[in-house]
Amino acid sequence: MEGLFSHVHAATVRTLAVNGHAAQEVSGQVCCGALHAHAGLHEDALNLARVNVAAFGDGTEPIVVNSAGCGALMKDYGRLLGDERSQRFAARVKDVTELFAPAPAPGAPLDLHVAYDPPCHLLHAQGIAAAPLKLFAAIPLLELVPVPGAAECCGSAGLFTLLEPEMSRAVLATKIERLREAAPQVVATGNPGCLMQLGAGLAAAGIRAQVRHPVELLDDAYRAAGRYE
């Protein structure tokens, strides 16, 4: 996220501030370990988890994550490490959309047709379905375009793009054809792997829809409403 989607981090901080949440950077934090876990590097993932638990300390503030894959693993630190401190850490982890509940502050209208593609690590691993929809509902005129099979995997699946490229492309092809038929202007999804996978698939298919994180759309609506420049 930091390397390729730092703009999403900036949008996250701004939109949270509008909704009364002041973001604080925590020094000493490291990679969450999700990619290490996907690659079977279990001990490396555990070591990273231990560093993060120590870095964030024993506060009660929510630990906000805007990457579904990272959030899913961090919410599992308690089970992975098996101690009380890591369980308290895991209970603090929240996807960014969870912090906007029950309803985000409204933004200015954005006349957009948006297809929401829920990341598997958000919908299936974390069980979060309603919170992103409430985010979209805070943007007047934005219309969600239904896409058959939206809740199915895009083919990114952690490291599948690299480890199982043929399967990854086959899964992606089905989703891309369904998006072609739905013809959204924007495809929104909350995980970096999905953002890259869908973006590459749409570009290769000649489909001009943008791929964006949901908080980017809320950020645009807040800027249009004059909440910040």
Side-chain angles (χ1 to χ4, degrees):
M1 284 295 292
E2 180 63 27
L4 296 175
F5 299 101
S6 59
H7 56 284
V8 177
H9 285 343
T12 298
V13 171
R14 288 191 295 266
T15 54
L16 286 174
V18 170
N19 287 275
H21 301 285
Q24 179 180 352
E25 192 77 18
V26 174
S27 61
Q29 63 179 295
V30 294
C31 172
C32 71
L35 291 178
H36 301 75
H38 295 326
L41 303 174
H42 186 66
E43 286 303 317
D44 290 336
L46 293 182
N47 289 334
L48 291 168
R50 292 185 186 101
V51 172
N52 281 326
V53 170
F56 280 84
D58 295 317
T60 59
E61 304 90 345
I63 298 169
V64 187
V65 187
N66 55 17
S67 163
C70 300
L73 187 78
M74 292 167 72
K75 287 183 177 182
D76 203 30
Y77 276 8
R79 182 189 66 81
L80 290 172
L81 297 177
D83 61 80
E84 187 175 340
R85 193 182 193 194
S86 62
Q87 291 168 3
R88 291 196 302 269
F89 174 100
R92 295 167 58 195
V93 176
K94 303 292 180 185
D95 184 75
V96 60
T97 60
E98 291 183 274
L99 262 70
F100 293 130
L110 297 180
D111 190 4
L112 290 174
H113 289 176
V114 176
Y116 174 53
D117 199 81
C120 291
H121 281 97
L122 188 65
L123 180 62
H124 304 304
Q126 298 186 53
I128 297 173
L133 302 181
K134 292 178 180 178
L135 182 155
F136 297 126
I139 307 173
L141 289 185
L142 185 150
E143 180 181 343
L144 286 178
V145 178
V147 180
E152 297 172 7
C153 182
C154 68
S156 176
L159 295 178
F160 260 48
T161 308
L162 300 176
L163 301 180
E164 300 287 349
E166 291 186 12
M167 182 186 297
S168 176
R169 286 194 293 268
V171 171
L172 175 63
T174 299
K175 189 171 286 281
I176 293 299
E177 286 310 306
R178 289 170 176 171
L179 287 169
R180 186 194 299 277
E181 294 175 8
Q185 295 165 283
V186 175
V187 179
T189 190
N191 190 60
C194 303
L195 286 163
M196 290 187 288
Q197 176 87 337
L198 291 168
L202 291 168
I207 301 172
R208 300 183 67 178
Q210 294 182 309
V211 181
R212 306 189 73 194
H213 194 290
V215 298
E216 291 186 87
L217 299 176
L218 190 61
D219 186 49
D220 286 350
Y222 286 165
R223 180 173 287 105
R227 293 185 179 271
Y228 38 73
E229 295 181 359

